């Protein structure tokens, strides 16, 4: 029976190619200030030099190097302090034989070519005693010395983070071209899902909608809408027909297993979506395909199965399509704190808690797929290969770090 199960990698590849195929949206122009987490679609060339003007790298004195050439601990040079330049002031002009007191970041006056740090002086305000010689260029941050005009400062494909935003702000780049984020429609299914915040007996609240929408955003995509539909095939199809516009992925949960009233399978199976059994626990029933040309991925309904399936199949594909680095979670190896068993023929993804410092991982909750409370307390997944049926305490297992 297990021979009929599809290997995890096969369904991963199917979902990835489904999302990657022909769905590339045009890049969009966005204000740089709000672009954290986006991926550059085009290189940024610097419109300005950085720094924009020669400025002091130290608090000290702007001088002509020639005027302090003979200075030393035993041969101090005394210069008249003819000016004071705080940061933000305009640059003046330095007359030969004089010094200007200057602060870090302040413009170097014309005629000066070196800065003597305050530590090498007596800090004088009318006359300064300089105790060290400084070569031309010393402690001067030259105009364009960091970035020259036209420098290709950020390459296409760069993830925009704090340092990139700092550079764009410094250069006065107002807008950047970024890759479009995949737009995802999240659809929860099930007649038991209650709209009322206080469900009646037999009804439950929609956990998957909130969970998958957050997971979508975390994967670098946009959860455009979150919808719910009862176990009613015509209603489900009508909802899809009405909502597909501008959507790159429909992500459904529930209605894909072997019971009666499997709304997703019954609705989409005859319409070209392929439903498969993957050799994985939790998350055996899965579906993927196109509806009206739009990629659809169908996850099982149990919240644990749903989120684990998302981690395994959808997150890597969304991140890849979004152009993000690290499409998969960091995998570490850690020693089990207690023995576990695993079903033969299925790759098991157990919830766990990782102690990176100790190099250990503790199984967190039972293997069953209904334990949302345990899922919420876990921070990693134990990845037990399909052919392993038991792992002893102290033995190493591969662990997906869900915080990374
Ligand atoms: P299904 O795959 O539709 O048979 O659902 C399997 C289990 O997951 C059932 O116990 C459902 O009530 C539950 N379930 C399905 N969808 C959701 C959801 N959106 N939120 C919470 N539980 C759900
Ligand atoms: Mg259902």
């Amino acid at each position: 029976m297990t021979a009929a199960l599809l290997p995890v990698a096969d369904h991963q590849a199917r979902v990835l190619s489904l999302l990657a195929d022909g769905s590339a949206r045009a890049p969009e122009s966005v204000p740089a200030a709000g672009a954290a987490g986006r991926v550059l679609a085009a290189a940024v060339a610097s419109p300005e030099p950085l720094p924009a003007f020669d400025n002091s790298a130290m608090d000290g004195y702007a001088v002509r190097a020639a005027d302090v050439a003979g200075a030393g601990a035993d041969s101090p040079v005394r210069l008249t302090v003819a000016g004071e330049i705080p940061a933000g002031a305009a640059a003046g002009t330095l007359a030969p034989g004089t010094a200007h007191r200057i602060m870090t970041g302040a413009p170097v006056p014309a005629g000066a070519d070196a800065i003597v740090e305050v530590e090498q002086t007596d800090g004088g305000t009318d006359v300064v005693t300089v105790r060290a010689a400084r070569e031309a260029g010393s402690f001067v941050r030259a105009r364009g010395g960091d970035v020259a005009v036209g420098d290709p400062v950020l390459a296409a494909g760069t993830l925009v983070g704090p340092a990139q935003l700092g550079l764009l702000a410094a250069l006065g780049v107002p807008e950047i071209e970024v890759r479009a984020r995949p737009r995802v429609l999240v659809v929860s299914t099930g007649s038991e899902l209650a709209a009322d915040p206080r469900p009646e007996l037999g009804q439950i609240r929609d956990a998957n909608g909130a969970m998958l929408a957050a997971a979508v955003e975390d994967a670098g995509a946009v959860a455009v809408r979150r919808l719910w539909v009862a176990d009613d095939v015509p209603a489900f199809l009508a909802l899809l027909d009405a909502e597909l516009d501008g959507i790159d992925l429909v992500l459904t949960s529930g209605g894909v297993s072997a019971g009666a009233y499997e709304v997703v399978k019954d609705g989409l199976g005859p319409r070209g979506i392929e439903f498969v059994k993957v050799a994985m626990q939790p998350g055996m029933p899965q579906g993927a395909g196109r509806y009206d040309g739009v990629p659809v991925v169908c996850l099982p309904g149990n919240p644990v199965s749903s989120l684990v399936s998302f981690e395994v199949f959808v997150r890597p594909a969304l991140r890849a399509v979004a152009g993000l680095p690290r499409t998969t979670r960091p995998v570490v190896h850690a020693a089990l704190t207690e023995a576990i068993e695993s079903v033969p023929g299925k790759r098991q993804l157990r919830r766990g808690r990782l102690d990176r410092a100790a190099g250990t991982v503790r199984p967190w909750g039972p293997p069953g797929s209904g334990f949302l409370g345990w899922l919420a307390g876990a921070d990693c997944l134990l990845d037990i290969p399909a052919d392993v049926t038991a792992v002893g305490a102290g033995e190493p297992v591969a662990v997906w770090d869900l915080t990374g």
Side-chain angles (χ1 to χ4, degrees):
M1 172 222 158
T2 51
L5 299 181
L6 190 69
V8 168
D10 289 21
H11 195 62
Q12 282 175 319
R14 176 174 301 177
V15 172
L16 178 60
S17 68
L18 183 67
L19 287 187
D21 266 8
S23 61
R25 270 178 193 280
E28 52 197 34
S29 194
V30 298
R38 304 300 296 269
V39 175
L40 285 177
V44 176
S46 179
E48 290 185 10
L50 190 67
F53 51 89
D54 292 354
N55 69 91
S56 177
M58 300 292 276
D59 294 327
Y61 294 83
V63 297
R64 293 191 336 160
D67 289 341
V68 298
D74 301 326
S75 54
V77 168
R78 287 162 64 81
L79 299 171
T80 301
V81 179
E84 167 132 341
I85 321 165
T93 300
L94 182 95
T98 69
H100 285 190
R101 207 168 157 229
I102 192 166
M103 307 307 147
T104 304
V108 175
D113 59 4
I115 306 296
V116 179
E117 322 89 278
V118 68
E119 292 82 0
Q120 300 298 336
T121 72
D122 66 351
T125 52
D126 300 326
V127 173
V128 62
T129 302
V130 175
R131 296 196 196 91
R134 287 291 174 256
E135 290 176 3
S138 291
F139 299 113
V140 174
R141 298 192 290 216
R143 169 183 161 90
D146 184 2
V147 173
V149 178
D151 269 2
V153 278
L154 298 173
T158 300
L159 175 64
V160 179
Q164 293 71 32
L165 289 171
L167 177 62
L168 294 167
L171 294 174
V173 176
E175 299 227 313
I176 50 175
E177 286 272 291
V178 294
R179 292 178 67 144
R181 288 181 293 194
R183 294 167 58 83
V184 183
L185 178 68
V186 176
V187 183
S188 298
T189 70
S191 296
E192 73 278 30
L193 302 183
D196 196 299
R198 285 189 297 177
E200 299 187 4
L201 184 65
Q203 295 195 309
I204 60 171
R205 299 185 184 92
D206 174 10
N208 294 352
M211 185 174 73
L212 293 172
V216 160
E217 299 270 337
D218 187 50
V222 185
V224 181
R225 278 184 294 283
R226 242 169 72 188
L227 301 170
W228 161 78
V229 69
D231 292 320
D232 175 336
V233 168
F236 174 56
L237 296 177
L239 174 132
L240 290 187
D241 291 337
E243 299 284 344
L244 285 185
D245 209 27
I247 295 297
D248 299 316
L249 169 67
V250 178
L251 188 62
T252 69
S253 66
V256 295
S257 42
Y261 312 110
E262 302 293 1
V263 64
V264 174
K265 200 181 197 176
D266 295 349
L268 297 181
R271 291 171 178 79
I273 309 294
E274 200 175 346
F275 290 90
V276 293
K277 288 183 176 178
V278 177
M280 172 171 129
Q281 188 194 56
M284 183 175 71
Q286 301 287 339
R290 284 179 191 273
Y291 178 76
D292 206 1
V294 178
V296 182
V297 172
C298 307
L299 305 177
N302 271 308
V304 176
S305 313
S306 223
L307 193 61
V308 170
S309 303
F310 184 92
E311 280 290 332
V312 174
F313 302 115
V314 185
R315 188 176 192 277
L318 281 178
R319 288 185 70 90
V321 170
L324 289 167
R326 297 186 310 277
T327 58
T328 56
R329 298 285 190 181
V331 175
V332 299
H333 287 82
L336 266 181
T337 57
E338 61 195 74
I340 56 169
E341 294 188 346
S342 183
V343 285
K346 284 187 190 171
R347 184 163 162 187
Q348 200 181 46
L349 289 149
R350 286 276 291 263
R351 277 62 64 207
R353 280 175 80 107
L354 180 64
D355 184 337
R356 269 185 178 269
T360 59
V361 64
R362 182 170 166 204
W364 199 250
S369 53
F371 295 96
L372 180 55
W374 286 101
L375 177 69
D379 61 11
C380 66
L381 294 174
L382 283 59
D383 187 355
I384 314 296
D387 57 357
V388 172
T389 52
V391 187
E395 288 183 29
V397 286
V399 174
W400 298 15
D401 184 351
L402 299 180
T403 67

